[in-house]
mmCIF file of all heavy atoms in Angstrom:
data_model
loop_
_atom_site.group_PDB
_atom_site.id
_atom_site.type_symbol
_atom_site.label_atom_id
_atom_site.label_comp_id
_atom_site.label_asym_id
_atom_site.label_seq_id
_atom_site.Cartn_x
_atom_site.Cartn_y
_atom_site.Cartn_z
ATOM 1 N N THR K 1049 0.809 -2.378 51.288
ATOM 2 C CA THR K 1049 1.809 -2.781 50.289
ATOM 3 C C THR K 1049 1.163 -3.337 49.049
ATOM 4 O O THR K 1049 1.516 -2.987 47.924
ATOM 5 C CB THR K 1049 2.768 -3.804 50.891
ATOM 6 O OG1 THR K 1049 3.382 -3.263 52.065
ATOM 7 C CG2 THR K 1049 3.846 -4.182 49.893
ATOM 8 N N ARG K 1050 0.141 -4.242 49.236
ATOM 9 C CA ARG K 1050 -0.556 -4.789 48.098
ATOM 10 C C ARG K 1050 -1.272 -3.702 47.271
ATOM 11 O O ARG K 1050 -1.294 -3.702 46.073
ATOM 12 C CB ARG K 1050 -1.543 -5.850 48.579
ATOM 13 C CG ARG K 1050 -0.904 -7.162 48.972
ATOM 14 C CD ARG K 1050 -1.938 -8.107 49.529
ATOM 15 N NE ARG K 1050 -1.326 -9.388 49.847
ATOM 16 C CZ ARG K 1050 -1.932 -10.307 50.578
ATOM 17 N NH1 ARG K 1050 -3.161 -10.087 51.094
ATOM 18 N NH2 ARG K 1050 -1.327 -11.456 50.819
ATOM 19 N N SER K 1051 -1.865 -2.772 48.013
ATOM 20 C CA SER K 1051 -2.590 -1.677 47.363
ATOM 21 C C SER K 1051 -1.634 -0.822 46.536
ATOM 22 O O SER K 1051 -1.911 -0.426 45.402
ATOM 23 C CB SER K 1051 -3.296 -0.814 48.408
ATOM 24 O OG SER K 1051 -3.915 0.306 47.799
ATOM 25 N N THR K 1052 -0.449 -0.552 47.132
ATOM 26 C CA THR K 1052 0.566 0.245 46.407
ATOM 27 C C THR K 1052 1.023 -0.482 45.157
ATOM 28 O O THR K 1052 1.162 0.101 44.092
ATOM 29 C CB THR K 1052 1.774 0.502 47.330
ATOM 30 O OG1 THR K 1052 1.334 1.213 48.499
ATOM 31 C CG2 THR K 1052 2.811 1.336 46.612
ATOM 32 N N ILE K 1053 1.270 -1.807 45.275
ATOM 33 C CA ILE K 1053 1.710 -2.606 44.125
ATOM 34 C C ILE K 1053 0.621 -2.593 43.034
ATOM 35 O O ILE K 1053 0.950 -2.394 41.846
ATOM 36 C CB ILE K 1053 2.001 -4.052 44.586
ATOM 37 C CG1 ILE K 1053 3.273 -4.082 45.418
ATOM 38 C CG2 ILE K 1053 2.143 -4.966 43.354
ATOM 39 C CD1 ILE K 1053 3.536 -5.431 46.056
ATOM 40 N N ASN K 1054 -0.637 -2.745 43.428
ATOM 41 C CA ASN K 1054 -1.731 -2.701 42.422
ATOM 42 C C ASN K 1054 -1.816 -1.367 41.752
ATOM 43 O O ASN K 1054 -2.036 -1.263 40.536
ATOM 44 C CB ASN K 1054 -3.058 -3.058 43.105
ATOM 45 C CG ASN K 1054 -3.173 -4.535 43.486
ATOM 46 O OD1 ASN K 1054 -2.488 -5.344 42.877
ATOM 47 N ND2 ASN K 1054 -3.981 -4.843 44.473
ATOM 48 N N ASN K 1055 -1.667 -0.275 42.529
ATOM 49 C CA ASN K 1055 -1.688 1.058 41.947
ATOM 50 C C ASN K 1055 -0.555 1.260 40.952
ATOM 51 O O ASN K 1055 -0.744 1.868 39.885
ATOM 52 C CB ASN K 1055 -1.610 2.121 43.054
ATOM 53 C CG ASN K 1055 -2.894 2.218 43.851
ATOM 54 O OD1 ASN K 1055 -3.957 1.786 43.400
ATOM 55 N ND2 ASN K 1055 -2.815 2.760 45.059
ATOM 56 N N LEU K 1056 0.632 0.779 41.326
ATOM 57 C CA LEU K 1056 1.795 0.889 40.438
ATOM 58 C C LEU K 1056 1.569 0.096 39.151
ATOM 59 O O LEU K 1056 1.953 0.538 38.066
ATOM 60 C CB LEU K 1056 3.055 0.412 41.151
ATOM 61 C CG LEU K 1056 3.619 1.356 42.215
ATOM 62 C CD1 LEU K 1056 4.729 0.670 43.003
ATOM 63 C CD2 LEU K 1056 4.104 2.649 41.599
ATOM 64 N N ARG K 1057 0.966 -1.089 39.285
ATOM 65 C CA ARG K 1057 0.670 -1.908 38.107
ATOM 66 C C ARG K 1057 -0.291 -1.176 37.163
ATOM 67 O O ARG K 1057 -0.098 -1.172 35.948
ATOM 68 C CB ARG K 1057 0.086 -3.241 38.519
ATOM 69 C CG ARG K 1057 1.129 -4.239 39.015
ATOM 70 C CD ARG K 1057 0.479 -5.509 39.512
ATOM 71 N NE ARG K 1057 1.493 -6.486 39.936
ATOM 72 C CZ ARG K 1057 1.227 -7.567 40.658
ATOM 73 N NH1 ARG K 1057 -0.037 -7.763 41.084
ATOM 74 N NH2 ARG K 1057 2.180 -8.416 40.983
ATOM 75 N N GLU K 1058 -1.342 -0.595 37.738
ATOM 76 C CA GLU K 1058 -2.318 0.146 36.932
ATOM 77 C C GLU K 1058 -1.663 1.331 36.230
ATOM 78 O O GLU K 1058 -1.914 1.586 35.062
ATOM 79 C CB GLU K 1058 -3.465 0.640 37.813
ATOM 80 C CG GLU K 1058 -4.398 -0.488 38.265
ATOM 81 C CD GLU K 1058 -5.523 0.033 39.146
ATOM 82 O OE1 GLU K 1058 -5.706 1.264 39.221
ATOM 83 O OE2 GLU K 1058 -6.204 -0.808 39.769
ATOM 84 N N GLU K 1059 -0.839 2.070 37.002
ATOM 85 C CA GLU K 1059 -0.138 3.215 36.423
ATOM 86 C C GLU K 1059 0.795 2.773 35.315
ATOM 87 O O GLU K 1059 0.890 3.412 34.240
ATOM 88 C CB GLU K 1059 0.652 3.937 37.525
ATOM 89 C CG GLU K 1059 1.227 5.278 37.068
ATOM 90 C CD GLU K 1059 1.894 5.997 38.225
ATOM 91 O OE1 GLU K 1059 1.656 5.667 39.387
ATOM 92 O OE2 GLU K 1059 2.687 6.920 37.945
ATOM 93 N N ASN K 1060 1.501 1.658 35.536
ATOM 94 C CA ASN K 1060 2.397 1.102 34.528
ATOM 95 C C ASN K 1060 1.653 0.728 33.257
ATOM 96 O O ASN K 1060 2.102 0.989 32.168
ATOM 97 C CB ASN K 1060 3.085 -0.149 35.114
ATOM 98 C CG ASN K 1060 4.557 -0.165 34.809
ATOM 99 O OD1 ASN K 1060 5.071 0.754 34.220
ATOM 100 N ND2 ASN K 1060 5.231 -1.225 35.213
ATOM 101 N N ALA K 1061 0.502 0.097 33.432
ATOM 102 C CA ALA K 1061 -0.324 -0.295 32.281
ATOM 103 C C ALA K 1061 -0.773 0.916 31.468
ATOM 104 O O ALA K 1061 -0.767 0.911 30.242
ATOM 105 C CB ALA K 1061 -1.519 -1.125 32.742
ATOM 106 N N LYS K 1062 -1.179 1.972 32.204
ATOM 107 C CA LYS K 1062 -1.610 3.196 31.493
ATOM 108 C C LYS K 1062 -0.463 3.818 30.727
ATOM 109 O O LYS K 1062 -0.638 4.277 29.612
ATOM 110 C CB LYS K 1062 -2.132 4.227 32.557
ATOM 111 C CG LYS K 1062 -3.501 3.883 33.107
ATOM 112 C CD LYS K 1062 -3.926 4.908 34.141
ATOM 113 C CE LYS K 1062 -5.268 4.531 34.761
ATOM 114 N NZ LYS K 1062 -5.678 5.498 35.803
ATOM 115 N N LEU K 1063 0.737 3.835 31.356
ATOM 116 C CA LEU K 1063 1.907 4.403 30.686
ATOM 117 C C LEU K 1063 2.262 3.618 29.452
ATOM 118 O O LEU K 1063 2.590 4.180 28.391
ATOM 119 C CB LEU K 1063 3.092 4.460 31.646
ATOM 120 C CG LEU K 1063 3.003 5.498 32.753
ATOM 121 C CD1 LEU K 1063 4.116 5.292 33.767
ATOM 122 C CD2 LEU K 1063 3.065 6.907 32.176
ATOM 123 N N ARG K 1064 2.186 2.295 29.530
ATOM 124 C CA ARG K 1064 2.483 1.429 28.369
ATOM 125 C C ARG K 1064 1.472 1.695 27.245
ATOM 126 O O ARG K 1064 1.805 1.750 26.071
ATOM 127 C CB ARG K 1064 2.492 -0.043 28.763
ATOM 128 C CG ARG K 1064 3.730 -0.480 29.504
ATOM 129 C CD ARG K 1064 3.911 -2.002 29.470
ATOM 130 N NE ARG K 1064 2.764 -2.691 30.045
ATOM 131 C CZ ARG K 1064 2.671 -3.026 31.321
ATOM 132 N NH1 ARG K 1064 3.646 -2.710 32.159
ATOM 133 N NH2 ARG K 1064 1.625 -3.653 31.777
ATOM 134 N N SER K 1065 0.202 1.859 27.675
ATOM 135 C CA SER K 1065 -0.844 2.125 26.690
ATOM 136 C C SER K 1065 -0.609 3.454 25.993
ATOM 137 O O SER K 1065 -0.733 3.573 24.778
ATOM 138 C CB SER K 1065 -2.235 2.107 27.374
ATOM 139 O OG SER K 1065 -3.236 2.432 26.463
ATOM 140 N N GLN K 1066 -0.271 4.495 26.787
ATOM 141 C CA GLN K 1066 -0.003 5.800 26.227
ATOM 142 C C GLN K 1066 1.192 5.755 25.277
ATOM 143 O O GLN K 1066 1.207 6.424 24.240
ATOM 144 C CB GLN K 1066 0.272 6.804 27.334
ATOM 145 C CG GLN K 1066 -0.961 7.170 28.138
ATOM 146 C CD GLN K 1066 -0.658 7.988 29.392
ATOM 147 O OE1 GLN K 1066 0.513 8.300 29.642
ATOM 148 N NE2 GLN K 1066 -1.677 8.289 30.168
ATOM 149 N N LEU K 1067 2.220 4.961 25.634
ATOM 150 C CA LEU K 1067 3.413 4.821 24.796
ATOM 151 C C LEU K 1067 3.067 4.185 23.463
ATOM 152 O O LEU K 1067 3.517 4.624 22.403
ATOM 153 C CB LEU K 1067 4.468 4.013 25.521
ATOM 154 C CG LEU K 1067 5.812 3.829 24.815
ATOM 155 C CD1 LEU K 1067 6.480 5.189 24.591
ATOM 156 C CD2 LEU K 1067 6.734 2.941 25.620
ATOM 157 N N ARG K 1068 2.188 3.150 23.508
ATOM 158 C CA ARG K 1068 1.755 2.493 22.268
ATOM 159 C C ARG K 1068 1.001 3.465 21.385
ATOM 160 O O ARG K 1068 1.216 3.506 20.176
ATOM 161 C CB ARG K 1068 0.889 1.269 22.592
ATOM 162 C CG ARG K 1068 1.670 0.032 23.006
ATOM 163 C CD ARG K 1068 0.800 -1.201 22.929
ATOM 164 N NE ARG K 1068 -0.334 -1.123 23.834
ATOM 165 C CZ ARG K 1068 -0.285 -1.566 25.103
ATOM 166 N NH1 ARG K 1068 0.812 -2.060 25.586
ATOM 167 N NH2 ARG K 1068 -1.362 -1.474 25.886
ATOM 168 N N VAL K 1069 0.109 4.255 21.993
ATOM 169 C CA VAL K 1069 -0.630 5.257 21.204
ATOM 170 C C VAL K 1069 0.303 6.267 20.573
ATOM 171 O O VAL K 1069 0.182 6.626 19.399
ATOM 172 C CB VAL K 1069 -1.682 5.967 22.101
ATOM 173 C CG1 VAL K 1069 -2.276 7.177 21.372
ATOM 174 C CG2 VAL K 1069 -2.778 5.003 22.515
#
Side-chain angles (χ1 to χ4, degrees):
T1049 302
R1050 284 176 178 168
S1051 176
T1052 301
I1053 289 171
N1054 288 336
N1055 288 339
L1056 287 171
R1057 281 175 177 165
E1058 287 179 12
E1059 189 175 343
N1060 224 3
K1062 286 179 183 177
L1063 287 171
R1064 284 199 301 270
S1065 177
Q1066 290 170 1
L1067 183 61
R1068 281 196 297 271
V1069 169

